[in-house]
Amino acid sequence: MPVFRNAQILLNDPFRPLAWISLKYNSPQLHRVMEGMITLSDYVTLAKKLASSAGHSAHLASAHLALTGRLPDHSTVMLDLSQNCARSDQAVSFLRDYDVVIGLTKDIVIQAPFVVFSKPVTDNWLGVNIHLTCPATMSTTAADLPMHKIPNVMLGYWGQHHELYVFFPSLAGEDRWNSQLTEDEMQSFTSYCLDPAVQALEGKQPVPSFQLGDVPRMFGMPSRAEDKRFLGQLLPFPSGENLSFFIRRNAWEKGIGWVGSCFFMHMARGATRAIHHMDNVYSAKEALAKHIRNANLSDKNMDKVGEWWVDVGLEVASREGFCLQWTTLSHPRMVKEVFQIDEIYANRMTEIESPEYTRDLASHLSAVSGCRIEPRPQHEGRYGIKYFQMYTTDRTFVYAPKDKFYGTSFTTNDAMGLTQPSNFVSGLSRFLIGASGGVLSRARVDVRVPLAHAFEVLQFNNPYDFGPEVFTGFLMAFRPDLWWPFKAYRVLGISRALQVLARAPKQVRVTQEALRLTAACVWLINSVNSRPNDGHAERELMRMVLPLTDPAGPDRQSLLYPRSKKDRDEEAKMPFIPLGVIYLRGRRGSPDDRRVTSLYFPQIGSSHSLLNSQTFKALFHASLENVRSKYVDDADASWYDMDEGESLEVVEEAHERFDPQLTETWHQFFNDVMIACSPHLVEYVRRETPKEWKRAFDNIFPTAESKTNAKYIRYPYFRKWRGICEQAGPKASKSLQMQLSSAFSTLRWIPYADEDGVCPLLQEMGDFTRLPLGTTGPAPHVLFKWSEPFWIDWYRKTV
């Protein structure tokens, strides 16, 4: 009969070998794991076995694999994707197409009837970056200013997808922080300029009005007019040029000069893959002319009536049934070939800290990513490229723009629910598993170029451009029955952690560690199919939960985002991806070598372990106090609030100074108490109550003012703890005690502790249950919670 001792006796450890009972130790997957590298196929196999296993231990093991890359035998998973590189003879097909046409003109040049909003509203304007700057031909005062920073409003639309905007460059300035018109400006424009112009076109006769449906979404942004309706007037063709003339005339007559200097933007939107053509320049010209005519714009002398740009795309699809993905290493070479610039400039543009470059990591894999580039004027290359993007069609399956998000989004409110996995996670997992049946992702590259170069760029027959054979060196090819399940089991594994948290006592659910893990899980799930959000709050979260490295190290490309000026000045460490997959910063070493941390939360032993109030509110859309009051009754507040008035500054100062000693004390506590009092062949067990759990903690780690029994003083950990309390003082020691309490309260079992000592070897007390059943005599007394530890069932089966 086995005797659980030393490392394996720490039954709080979720990596115990029994959790991996379904895996064969002589399997080739395991041998590769032990060597430190596994293939994507091995990963999916292991994740599937852990995900399909039942029980609390299996859930923890599945969560650990997804969150930290740790397996039940304490080894760490590093993915080897070398075998997924596309072969040089990979059979692929290419499709070149056109999408958006954008034109800036002094007059409206729509060659069809169009609708003008009789009452435009201020919250329907171009407020996001379209990667174009104002040309000097439109305005000298706002020249080179990004278009989305010039005050504007959506004037109307034509067709089903096309939108018309009017810009007011005279209102632009450094002192103006928003390109949205004020109510007064909108009133002046509509009352004195727009309305009289429309009436003049109609001979001052009333024009029938009608309700417009939802305004079509604009390229690259969600419509702010969604769920709103506007009154519009249909103007017959040709009315555009006359309307712009009357608007300016009315503006000058009323002395509204900022309207008189306006210009218009036409945004004719196509549909990706709809306007495609054969692979030659002649077909490209014909398809572009057809696209422009279909948008009711004149394809004759367009360059003489304004400035025009076209979005051109090239799509690569596998003819062998693979999911194609861009490799991260392909970015410099692709930029060099498409932009037709020197290699040194291409390498510089694709550095992680380049202001022109943004990496789109959308599958948790550092070796697989797309990118976006908004080049400086000197880097626009032969074709004057204004915007460049490499991406795959994975995200289009979950594309649902809303507010600031461009894909379906999992929220912290969903993650805090008692039912886990949530409907969102369940639905996403089902879709990803279902997609493994044959949904193929394609690789695309899109560029926004001047109209004059639209039929030249991304052309294989162009003597300046590369040939199709070069593409295979830029791609990875994955079987759909591996690519989609990899994502699915990542989502399922992460959701396992949320399931464990949902079953935890509600007081534990709202500790800083649990809330931080919740935010990290939400961030990870949203990053499976969309680019990881790297806003200010998310960057602070990444610093807390991801591995950190010196940004000047050898592999700067593994960084998740570029350093800020503050980061460079302070030489701050940066979050990065050391193992090829985004993993949280987990513990290293044996169970006896762990920091002050809970079992399945990221480590908390650092001065940056607590979310500050601004970051917390950005992630949870509520303050810490409001979140706690929502999920925990006032009567239970003492469970996590040892000193409600303690400031975050005091907490961080205490941890900055005493973290090494606190970690050493936690290690010593495991050596002195947890191993010594761990379950032997016989024991007494009892399910705890929150009150008993807190009382045990207060006895094991008392405050400085508490009286101490001599039986505790004999433990080295206790003497270390009392020394920390004396040095830190009453207030700081309470903050440190609260941090220890967060880790302590997530243990699956603890020794019974009261005023007379910890883990007494006594006869049966109260309602403790003696195991094995039928035995007698003194034995350790243990408290457990949440679910019965596996050794209880083991005892019952072996007696």
Side-chain angles (χ1 to χ4, degrees), residues 586-603:
R587 300 171 301 285
R588 296 291 180 265
S590 68
D592 294 328
D593 180 26
R594 59 184 67 198
R595 298 185 61 96
V596 182
T597 178
S598 64
L599 296 175
Y600 32 77
F601 298 161
Q603 66 184 36

Side-chain angles (χ1 to χ4, degrees), residues 347-579:
N347 291 335
R348 189 178 302 167
M349 288 170 64
T350 52
E351 282 283 340
I352 188 66
E353 294 190 348
S354 169
E356 304 168 83
Y357 173 79
T358 301
R359 182 175 302 158
D360 290 339
L361 192 72
S363 300
H364 291 182
L365 298 172
S366 59
V368 176
S369 66
C371 69
R372 288 168 289 146
I373 295 177
E374 190 172 355
R376 295 171 178 170
Q378 61 269 31
H379 294 159
E380 291 178 355
R382 179 183 300 275
Y383 306 115
I385 296 174
K386 295 294 184 180
Y387 184 62
F388 170 91
Q389 184 176 17
M390 296 171 63
Y391 65 100
T392 60
T393 57
D394 293 37
R395 67 187 67 184
T396 61
F397 301 115
V398 292
Y399 181 74
K402 182 179 180 181
D403 299 329
K404 66 177 181 178
F405 301 103
Y406 295 95
T408 50
S409 178
F410 185 44
T411 66
T412 50
N413 187 56
D414 295 332
M416 291 292 291
L418 294 177
T419 302
Q420 297 295 334
S422 67
N423 291 334
F424 173 89
V425 171
S426 298
L428 179 60
S429 301
R430 285 195 301 270
F431 165 77
L432 294 173
I433 292 294
S436 64
V439 176
L440 304 182
S441 60
R442 301 176 296 272
R444 287 188 58 88
V445 55
D446 289 352
V447 293
R448 179 166 289 169
V449 296
L451 178 66
H453 298 297
F455 58 88
E456 299 174 335
V457 69
L458 298 178
Q459 275 283 6
F460 292 142
N461 290 326
N462 189 324
Y464 298 109
D465 279 359
F466 51 93
E469 68 281 353
V470 178
F471 264 89
T472 57
F474 298 160
L475 295 168
M476 283 192 175
F478 300 92
R479 286 170 24 207
D481 61 342
L482 293 179
W483 179 247
W484 298 108
F486 167 75
K487 294 188 176 191
Y489 290 121
R490 293 285 296 164
V491 172
L492 286 173
I494 296 166
S495 69
R496 295 296 194 196
L498 296 176
Q499 285 181 275
V500 172
L501 288 173
R503 291 198 299 265
K506 55 185 178 181
Q507 299 89 348
V508 176
R509 191 72 181 87
V510 292
T511 58
Q512 277 272 9
E513 292 80 2
L515 292 171
R516 187 185 60 198
L517 177 61
T518 299
C521 290
V522 170
W523 180 80
L524 284 170
I525 289 176
N526 285 328
S527 303
V528 169
N529 267 316
S530 301
R531 178 179 179 271
N533 194 348
D534 63 351
H536 178 74
E538 287 76 15
R539 290 189 178 191
E540 289 298 315
L541 177 66
M542 281 189 267
R543 287 180 184 273
M544 296 177 191
V545 302
L546 297 182
L548 300 176
T549 187
D550 182 355
D555 190 12
R556 296 175 62 190
Q557 295 298 335
S558 63
L559 299 178
L560 274 149
Y561 59 84
R563 291 181 297 174
S564 64
K565 183 178 184 301
K566 180 180 178 182
D567 293 330
R568 289 192 292 269
D569 293 342
E570 297 178 356
E571 298 183 353
K573 290 186 177 296
M574 301 288 291
F576 78 127
I577 311 173
L579 300 176

Side-chain angles (χ1 to χ4, degrees), residues 105-265:
T105 62
K106 289 291 187 179
D107 297 314
I108 299 173
V109 295
I110 301 171
Q111 306 293 302
F114 63 97
V115 173
V116 173
F117 299 143
S118 57
K119 293 184 179 180
V121 292
T122 58
D123 65 345
N124 192 34
W125 88 108
L126 180 67
V128 298
N129 194 358
I130 61 169
H131 318 291
L132 294 176
T133 57
C134 180
T137 54
M138 294 294 107
S139 171
T140 56
T141 59
D144 298 327
L145 192 67
M147 292 297 300
H148 67 287
K149 293 186 177 181
I150 301 176
N152 67 90
V153 68
M154 185 175 177
L155 187 62
Y157 81 102
W158 78 101
Q160 294 183 348
H161 306 285
H162 316 314
E163 297 160 357
L164 178 67
Y165 292 83
V166 57
F167 285 76
F168 307 101
S170 297
L171 294 178
E174 295 181 357
D175 56 340
R176 184 165 187 137
W177 64 275
N178 195 338
S179 60
Q180 184 180 15
L181 294 184
T182 65
E183 292 293 342
D184 290 341
E185 290 167 344
M186 180 61 73
Q187 181 67 25
S188 298
F189 171 64
T190 56
S191 298
Y192 300 116
C193 303
L194 178 61
D195 289 348
V198 173
Q199 293 176 10
L201 287 175
E202 297 297 327
K204 297 187 179 182
Q205 296 297 321
V207 179
S209 62
F210 56 91
Q211 288 280 35
L212 296 180
D214 290 344
V215 178
R217 290 187 175 92
M218 187 182 63
F219 168 78
M221 66 169 286
S223 174
R224 290 173 177 79
E226 194 170 15
D227 298 327
K228 296 183 183 225
R229 305 180 80 82
F230 302 90
L231 288 173
Q233 293 180 334
L234 182 65
L235 299 182
F237 171 77
S239 299
E241 185 174 351
N242 293 332
L243 178 64
S244 53
F245 169 78
F246 284 125
I247 288 176
R248 289 194 181 90
R249 188 194 66 177
N250 296 335
W252 295 123
E253 288 179 354
K254 298 295 183 179
I256 311 176
W258 58 269
V259 175
S261 60
C262 70
F263 63 89
F264 301 89
M265 183 178 79

Side-chain angles (χ1 to χ4, degrees), residues 748-763:
R748 294 188 61 201
W749 68 270
I750 60 171
Y752 178 79
D754 59 13
E755 293 77 6
D756 295 328
V758 60
C759 197
L761 296 175
L762 301 174
Q763 296 285 350

